[in-house]
Amino acid sequence: SGFSISHSKCVAIGLNYCVRLSEKLYNLNAKKVQKMRALLDLYGEDLSCEYTNFDIVEKMKLDKKGKGKRANTMDVSYSL
């Protein structure tokens, strides 16, 4: 398909990014962070990313579920 990273890995990287963002912006507590990271570890792949935070946000703006020039994120503290 021409893409260098699979969709499932992109989703996992995005979830990892949202956990870090929620931890910093919304003070997601350590227990919830550990729970989410344990779930992401089940994916079994390295979730590090060569892209900068800026690059990720710019790509998020292109998501078909996005609205205009906004990057949609989620506060994962309510989903755990």
Side-chain angles (χ1 to χ4, degrees), residues 57-73:
V57 170
E58 288 302 304
K59 294 298 182 190
M60 289 169 67
K61 289 178 185 178
L62 300 174
D63 189 320
K64 64 184 173 200
K65 296 175 291 301
K67 294 185 169 105
K69 302 228 177 248
R70 255 179 60 195
N72 292 327
T73 61

Side-chain angles (χ1 to χ4, degrees), residues 3 10-11 16 29 39 44-45 53 55 61 73 78:
F3 295 102
C10 288
V11 170
N16 188 45
N29 72 51
L39 290 170
E45 285 211 33
N53 290 345
D55 292 334
K61 289 178 185 178
T73 61
Y78 297 106

